Amino acid sequence: MMNNTNINFSGNKKVSNNNQRERNRRYKRLQRDKKRKEFLQLKKPNTLTSAVPVSVQDVIEVRKIAPNGIWEVGENLYSKTYLINDLNYCTMTYQEQVSFFGEWCRILNAIDVYLFKFTIFNKNRDMVEFKNKILYQHKADEYNLQRDCYNDIITSKIVNSKKGIDQVKYLTITIQRSNYEDAAQGMSSIEANLLKEFAALGSMLVPLDSNERFRIIHDFLRMGNEEKYSFDLKKYINNGNDWKNYIVPDYIDFNENMFFTEDKCCKAMYVNPKSYPDDDLSDEFFDGLINITIPSIISVDYIPVNKTATKVALERKYMSTQDKIRKQQDKRNKRGNFTSEISYTVSKENDDVKEMLDDVNINGQKMFFVGVNVIITANSLEELDEAEDAVSLITENHGCYLDEYNLRQREALMTVLPIGNRYVSELRSMFTRMAGILMPFKAMEMQMKENPFYYGVNKETRNIIACNRKKLINGNGFVFGVTGAGKSMTGSKLEIGSVFLNTDDDIIIIDPTFEYEDVAKAFKGTFINIGPESRNYINPLHIDIKNLSPKNVRQIITQKSTIMCGICEHAMEQDFETCYRSIIDRCIKILYERLLTTPLEERTIPIMSDFYTILKDQPDKEVHDIVLALEVFITGSMNIFNHQNNVDIDNRIQVYGLRDIGEDLESVGMLITLSYIRQKIIKNASEGRFTWLYIDEFHTLMDKKYSRKYFISLYKKVRKLGGLCTGITQNVSDTVFDKDTAKLLSNSEYTMFLRMGAGDADVILDAFEGRLTEAHLKYIDNAAPGMGLIRFGNVVIPMDNRIEKDNIIYDIFNTNFQEKAALKVAQRKEGNVV
């Protein structure tokens, strides 16, 4: 009985185990089938809500909108769009690109959503906005000819570079959620990660609200009439009108292989999935495609595939290839051929599948279904054919080809626009390393739209560089370049012209070589020649006596005491003891407090002789040393600063020429000049006016002990007073290796690098670590005059700021001695110069 029981028990157990294993196998098959269905379902396009739209409004496949930019675009599908700020991929070295590509692929793998797409919109530049915000506007003065010359430069660069095309890039993500509240919460989490990841790459994502998303659709469907966009979401919410009325054109006519809007002929195409090369794509393929100079919109749709579903599909594919191998071998064995290898095609297919499995299991690759779609636009059918040929040529050069969407132009349009859904199924499975090649990055741009100045064009993209330094965190800056590289012309004069013509700001220039006398002449500024033989006088003790009051007298005493201490310290050429400072401060206090008590009508502006008289009356024994040192500045040969002002210090442009000042007066002259500049900046700040300060041959100012100390103090304070300082010098090393100037450089958001001297390359990389790389150096190595790099904060751009020699602006600012000499000779021959 016991044995039978045991036998029966053992037999039942065996049957039970077999049943369990069968159930497990059946369950695994069901799971594999489920994953396979999920895998295949991913490629299935969504269905249009209205197969035959009754009105133009029905064409747009958006169900509901929220002000924050989240749209319901399908059954449980919600999307949001982000503006992408570009980064300098094309300026990287090969090794830097490899490293960047690895990080980019990691980010692609981490985007876990239903669908995401990159949209590149090559749009017609809004010329109305362009003229209002980029071009220099006419004013009621005598300088509109010069403004037109600047505008000629800007517009010619626009037309000659990308034919008026303005490229904008977007990322749209779509997630599956059961309601808006869940979608908003999920989108917030995804957005936070995306913003962080793109910032780490060196790019930036800007979330768009619904107004901004509507503008994209409007500008494409109503290309040529972009300025007519007038949608306001708040008004729409209040009046209940259909928002689509403000977005769509009057009609859209879909034909078999193209469609028409109010003014445009359009064609939607796709890169045929079967035409992609078996090996990796070149990054030049997508770069060439998205940078066509044709009004167009291009999208790359990514559908992430679950890793488990990927493995199931690949394992199924592997089993299929193994089955092909067995069948081929069986056929050959039956024929008695036991040595022949399987066919190359099947062998290659088998190796490819194994490699893909290794990529998933070992190399961390992820699978995506990817579709590349293109819609081109033109003004006529002839132009459309030409545009299609141009785009096709680009793809064919890389082994791919374009196909038309026959009878699916509307589906393609709704897919390509950054709405967030997909209605076409022309997709190619790609692993991360191939999908990553279709990246939206090329080069950084700087195109501010709020009163910007022109700084040339991006050498890589040929787009104009437009920036307003007043909008940077810190507008101070430096210009570096060897003699002849264009420091004066490109680094300062062109910007000075922009400031003068485009703003009401004041401009002050410290000019050690008289290179800016032409600027003062061109714009009727004040050129102050500070030198023993000059009859231009500036008074270091000058104040506005009408505004002297008990409230500001203390501040004036402090300022003037600092100046006189600097002059006396230089004159005495010995250790400047504390007692000397006390005596000078006392005399200055007596001078201005006495002036304060004098009736206004009897006041006269003090000069150094007045200070000198008070100084001699002091009882201190140390006074004799100071009096003796100052004598040469009061009654001696260096008394050029002991006069009342006779120059226009209220002119918008002031140029302080220091070439003839002489070595004995150089330090004092620089110190007095800086004190005047400081007063001017403070006065302008009180009136809400900006002041631009340019210091040419910056190193000469910093070589002098007294002017160095005064300027460093000024530089640190000037930003808060509406001042923007620009130091112009030859060698980066001189600035970096000096601890004081190195701090000034590190606190400046603007830098221009023209052709550099030998040995400066490594210094640049160390000084701007993380912002400049070895790849950037090629743009300043042996660069032609007017070309180099320009930096605005973290944005670094290869710059070409050359202008045509037949432009009036070139004649005004040209500093080439040979060219100017030749011009004078020609003018004499024509009788224009005496």
Side-chain angles (χ1 to χ4, degrees):
M1 180 72 72
M2 288 290 293
N3 289 337
N4 289 337
T5 302
N6 288 337
I7 292 171
N8 290 336
F9 178 79
S10 176
N12 291 336
K13 183 178 180 181
K14 184 175 181 179
V15 171
S16 177
N17 286 343
N18 287 337
N19 290 339
Q20 184 62 40
R21 281 195 291 270
E22 180 61 30
R23 282 194 295 271
N24 288 343
R25 282 195 294 268
R26 189 181 303 116
Y27 176 77
K28 289 180 179 179
R29 283 197 302 271
L30 289 173
Q31 289 298 108
R32 283 197 298 269
D33 290 342
K34 181 180 178 182
K35 291 296 179 183
R36 181 170 178 270
K37 289 179 181 178
E38 289 177 2
F39 183 83
L40 297 175
Q41 185 67 24
L42 288 173
K43 296 184 68 173
K44 185 178 179 181
N46 294 98
T47 305
L48 294 171
T49 304
S50 54
V52 181
V54 176
S55 65
V56 179
Q57 288 82 349
D58 292 338
V59 171
I60 306 300
E61 291 286 324
V62 178
R63 299 185 178 188
K64 295 180 181 178
I65 62 172
N68 61 4
I70 297 178
W71 293 356
E72 184 180 351
V73 295
E75 187 70 31
N76 297 330
L77 295 178
Y78 297 85
S79 72
K80 190 168 185 178
T81 297
Y82 303 83
L83 175 69
I84 301 174
N85 282 350
D86 216 333
L87 51 78
N88 283 332
Y89 178 77
C90 68
T91 66
M92 297 178 185
T93 64
Y94 174 74
Q95 289 301 325
E96 289 168 345
Q97 287 183 342
V98 170
S99 176
F100 173 84
F101 187 71
E103 283 299 299
W104 173 240
C105 288
R106 183 187 62 77
I107 291 175
L108 288 183
N109 283 344
I111 303 179
D112 187 16
V113 295
Y114 170 79
L115 164 73
F116 65 96
K117 69 172 66 192
F118 294 107
T119 306
I120 294 86
F121 188 4
N122 293 312
K123 58 190 293 188
N124 282 324
R125 187 175 296 277
D126 187 338
M127 294 308 294
V128 173
E129 180 185 54
F130 172 72
K131 290 178 180 179
N132 289 337
K133 295 187 176 181
I134 304 295
L135 296 184
Y136 296 179
Q137 304 301 307
H138 280 199
K139 295 184 178 181
D141 57 24
E142 56 190 291
Y143 300 106
N144 287 330
L145 174 61
Q146 288 86 339
R147 292 187 181 93
D148 288 339
C149 291
Y150 269 91
N151 290 338
D152 288 344
I153 295 170
I154 298 170
T155 52
S156 67
K157 299 300 182 184
I158 290 288
V159 173
N160 294 335
S161 59
K162 284 197 170 183
K163 301 179 181 178
I165 296 296
D166 188 15
Q167 187 178 84
V168 194
K169 301 174 181 179
Y170 304 99
L171 166 66
T172 303
I173 61 173
T174 304
I175 61 176
Q176 286 182 307
R177 293 294 189 274
S178 58
N179 55 62
Y180 169 79
E181 288 73 20
D182 290 346
Q185 185 176 356
M187 200 72 77
S188 176
S189 176
I190 294 169
E191 179 178 297
N193 288 329
L194 284 174
L195 295 180
K196 180 177 68 175
E197 294 287 7
F198 272 72
L201 277 180
S203 177
M204 185 171 67
L205 291 181
V206 181
L208 302 184
D209 61 25
S210 285
N211 268 331
E212 293 162 325
R213 292 189 72 180
F214 291 146
R215 181 68 188 258
I216 303 170
I217 300 173
H218 172 277
D219 285 359
F220 179 76
L221 293 178
R222 308 194 71 178
M223 197 175 292
N225 296 296
E226 293 87 350
E227 73 280 359
K228 294 183 179 179
Y229 181 74
S230 60
F231 180 72
D232 186 326
L233 186 58
K234 291 182 180 179
K235 292 181 180 178
Y236 154 70
I237 292 173
N238 292 333
N239 62 32
N241 291 338
D242 188 350
W243 58 266
K244 296 177 183 178
N245 294 336
Y246 301 89
I247 307 302
V248 298
D250 291 339
Y251 74 88
I252 303 178
D253 182 15
F254 292 100
N255 288 2
E256 181 178 349
N257 62 352
M258 65 182 67
F259 64 95
F260 302 88
T261 61
E262 293 170 337
D263 302 310
K264 300 294 178 181
C265 310
C266 311
K267 176 173 285 192
M269 300 174 289
Y270 63 95
V271 179
N272 191 297
K274 296 179 181 179
S275 70
Y276 288 99
D278 292 333
D279 54 354
D280 288 344
L281 277 172
S282 165
D283 54 8
E284 295 176 356
F285 159 71
F286 194 57
D287 180 64
L289 182 62
I290 67 176
N291 285 294
I292 53 177
T293 56
I294 298 169
S296 57
I297 190 164
I298 301 161
S299 76
V300 185
D301 286 34
Y302 290 84
I303 303 169
V305 181
N306 179 279
K307 187 173 182 178
T308 303
T310 302
K311 290 174 68 174
V312 168
L314 291 176
E315 287 168 357
R316 190 179 186 89
K317 181 69 174 176
Y318 180 71
M319 292 171 60
S320 175
T321 58
Q322 290 295 305
D323 189 49
K324 290 179 182 178
I325 291 172
R326 283 194 298 270
K327 289 179 179 178
Q328 279 195 6
Q329 197 62 58
D330 288 345
K331 288 181 180 179
R332 293 176 181 180
N333 290 345
K334 288 179 180 179
R335 295 196 298 265
N337 185 352
F338 299 99
T339 59
S340 297
E341 296 181 354
I342 59 175
S343 68
Y344 171 80
T345 303
V346 176
S347 176
K348 179 71 167 59
E349 183 180 354
N350 185 62
D351 291 341
D352 288 345
V353 175
K354 288 195 293 184
E355 183 180 352
M356 287 188 283
L357 277 168
D358 287 341
D359 277 340
V360 173
N361 293 320
I362 301 172
N363 300 328
Q365 293 286 299
K366 186 174 182 177
M367 181 181 282
F368 300 88
F369 288 126
V370 181
V372 179
N373 303 294
V374 182
I375 298 180
I376 55 175
T377 70
N379 295 318
S380 65
L381 291 176
E382 292 77 12
E383 286 185 13
L384 190 67
D385 288 340
E386 292 176 3
E388 182 179 0
D389 290 341
V391 179
S392 296
L393 182 61
I394 293 171
T395 56
E396 289 169 7
N397 285 340
H398 293 87
C400 303
Y401 58 87
L402 290 173
D403 274 343
E404 301 171 345
Y405 277 113
N406 288 317
L407 300 176
R408 289 179 297 160
Q409 292 287 305
R410 180 189 167 204
E411 289 86 341
L413 173 63
M414 289 300 100
T415 300
V416 174
L417 289 175
I419 292 173
N421 218 331
R422 180 179 58 86
Y423 301 96
V424 294
S425 58
E426 281 66 21
L427 303 169
R428 162 71 183 261
S429 61
M430 294 183 183
F431 283 96
T432 311
R433 64 169 174 264
M434 188 171 180
I437 290 294
L438 306 173
M439 70 173 70
F441 305 116
K442 180 178 176 65
M444 285 183 172
E445 304 284 4
M446 175 57 71
Q447 294 186 340
M448 286 187 181
K449 294 184 178 180
E450 189 173 348
N451 300 319
F453 305 149
Y454 171 77
Y455 290 92
V457 298
N458 187 321
K459 190 177 179 183
E460 291 293 336
T461 66
R462 309 312 299 176
N463 289 324
I464 66 167
I465 304 169
C467 181
N468 187 338
R469 284 171 60 182
K470 291 188 287 189
K471 300 301 179 181
L472 300 177
I473 296 174
N474 180 342
N476 294 334
F478 283 86
V479 176
F480 299 106
V482 299
T483 300
K487 293 193 304 299
S488 297
M489 178 78 153
T490 306
S492 56
K493 290 186 178 182
L494 286 174
E495 184 181 65
I496 288 169
S498 294
V499 174
F500 181 81
L501 297 170
N502 217 28
T503 73
D504 295 323
D505 303 342
D506 281 358
I507 301 162
I508 302 174
I509 305 163
I510 297 177
D511 180 12
T513 56
F514 282 19
E515 287 197 9
Y516 295 82
E517 191 173 4
D518 55 356
V519 175
K521 183 178 179 180
F523 297 125
K524 296 185 178 180
T526 299
F527 184 82
I528 306 168
N529 180 4
I530 302 175
E533 305 301 323
S534 171
R535 291 296 176 262
N536 292 155
Y537 300 128
I538 56 175
N539 174 14
L541 298 180
H542 178 88
I543 63 165
D544 183 357
I545 55 175
K546 294 181 180 179
N547 292 323
L548 180 65
S549 68
K551 290 183 178 180
N552 63 15
V553 69
R554 176 56 56 188
Q555 182 181 10
I556 291 172
I557 291 170
T558 301
Q559 294 172 2
K560 299 305 180 181
S561 177
T562 301
I563 295 168
M564 288 308 302
C565 282
I567 294 173
C568 294
E569 185 176 3
H570 168 75
M572 295 175 71
E573 295 183 349
Q574 64 184 60
D575 291 337
F576 202 66
E577 300 175 10
T578 304
C579 60
Y580 296 139
R581 295 184 183 279
S582 298
I583 294 169
I584 293 169
D585 185 71
R586 184 199 312 155
C587 295
I588 290 291
K589 184 178 180 182
I590 293 171
L591 177 64
Y592 287 100
E593 287 185 346
R594 183 181 296 169
L595 186 63
L596 182 62
T597 60
T598 303
L600 181 61
E601 64 275 7
E602 298 178 14
R603 292 179 186 177
T604 58
I605 299 172
I607 59 175
M608 286 182 67
S609 294
D610 299 316
F611 168 81
Y612 190 68
T613 300
I614 295 172
L615 177 65
K616 289 192 296 183
D617 289 340
Q618 301 306 304
D620 311 78
K621 62 179 181 179
E622 295 85 0
V623 167
H624 174 76
D625 298 335
I626 307 175
V627 168
L628 188 62
L630 281 183
E631 184 176 349
V632 69
F633 293 103
I634 307 301
T635 60
S637 60
M638 300 183 188
N639 69 344
I640 63 170
F641 300 115
N642 190 30
H643 300 272
Q644 295 290 0
N645 288 344
N646 67 348
V647 294
D648 182 6
I649 58 174
D650 292 322
N651 199 305
R652 275 192 62 201
I653 292 187
Q654 299 173 29
V655 181
Y656 291 86
L658 304 175
R659 185 189 66 187
D660 300 336
I661 195 170
E663 189 173 338
D664 292 335
L665 282 175
E666 188 174 10
S667 295
V668 174
M670 189 73 77
L671 181 63
I672 292 173
T673 298
L674 288 174
S675 72
Y676 254 87
I677 291 169
R678 187 176 190 275
Q679 285 184 22
K680 183 69 172 177
I681 293 174
I682 291 173
K683 181 174 182 291
N684 284 349
S686 67
E687 298 172 356
R689 184 191 297 270
F690 283 87
T691 310
W692 297 69
L693 172 61
Y694 296 87
I695 307 104
D696 203 3
E697 305 296 338
F698 175 76
H699 56 279
T700 62
L701 181 147
M702 302 308 292
D703 284 344
K704 307 298 181 291
K705 173 183 175 182
Y706 313 103
S707 57
R708 162 193 281 264
K709 182 178 179 181
Y710 196 93
F711 177 74
I712 290 173
S713 174
L714 175 64
Y715 192 94
K716 292 178 179 178
K717 298 176 181 178
V718 72
R719 181 180 64 84
K720 296 179 181 179
L721 298 172
L724 299 96
C725 287
T726 304
I728 306 161
T729 189
Q730 292 187 24
N731 299 112
V732 179
S733 54
D734 290 343
T735 306
V736 170
F737 293 148
D738 183 305
K739 66 177 182 179
D740 290 326
T741 55
K743 290 179 181 178
L744 302 184
L745 181 61
S746 65
N747 288 317
S748 300
E749 289 285 289
Y750 168 76
T751 319
M752 182 182 289
F753 302 93
L754 301 168
R755 183 171 180 170
M756 291 286 106
D760 274 333
D762 292 337
V763 176
I764 291 173
L765 295 181
D766 290 339
F768 294 91
E769 184 178 3
R771 287 175 286 185
L772 267 67
T773 68
E774 289 186 8
H776 287 118
L777 298 182
K778 66 182 180 183
Y779 297 100
I780 55 179
D781 184 24
N782 295 319
M787 300 180 70
L789 288 172
I790 191 166
R791 179 184 74 90
F792 304 99
N794 291 325
V795 178
V796 181
I797 301 173
M799 173 197 67
D800 181 352
N801 199 8
R802 296 172 297 177
I803 62 175
E804 291 73 16
K805 293 184 178 181
D806 59 355
N807 192 294
I808 291 176
I809 297 300
Y810 184 88
D811 292 335
I812 293 174
F813 296 146
N814 182 22
T815 58
N816 186 300
F817 177 81
Q818 293 178 338
E819 290 183 1
K820 295 182 82 169
L823 178 62
K824 287 182 179 180
V825 170
Q827 289 174 336
R828 287 192 185 97
K829 289 181 179 179
E830 295 173 3
N832 295 330
V833 177
V834 179

